[in-house]
Amino acid sequence: VVRAHERGTAAVAYQPGGRVLATAGLDGAARLWHPLTAAPVADLPGGGAAWAERLAWSPDGSALAVAAGRVVRVWDPAGRLVREFKDLPS
């Protein structure tokens, strides 16, 4: 059991190959976890949105897209921000 987000979890996605577990929550953040130990890997801030609601790994597992409000951020598996797309139409 991983208690990932204080106000609740909106989405969960395993990295292809199962090396990292990503969660998105009603606290506006996403988080990366080690899937076997539940140890935290990285906190991914949502950018001020009320909640982070969607997650999607690239097919090769090299990038994670997180949607929070009208902003999409792309992260690498270590939790480093790769790209940000702001104010996308809903």
Side-chain angles (χ1 to χ4, degrees):
V1 174
V2 175
R3 300 210 184 276
H5 302 275
E6 191 172 309
R7 291 192 244 157
T9 301
V12 176
Y14 277 101
Q15 179 188 31
R19 296 177 305 260
V20 178
L21 172 67
T23 62
L26 303 181
D27 57 3
R31 293 191 174 84
L32 300 179
W33 307 88
H34 187 281
L36 298 177
T37 65
V41 173
D43 286 333
L44 314 177
W51 58 80
E53 54 202 348
R54 304 276 188 260
L55 299 170
W57 285 99
S58 62
D60 66 357
S62 66
L64 172 70
V66 178
R70 297 173 75 175
V71 174
V72 174
R73 289 183 170 170
V74 180
W75 305 86
D76 72 10
R80 292 182 293 261
L81 184 63
V82 175
R83 185 142 187 214
E84 182 173 352
F85 301 91
K86 290 187 176 185
D87 298 321
L88 297 171
S90 20

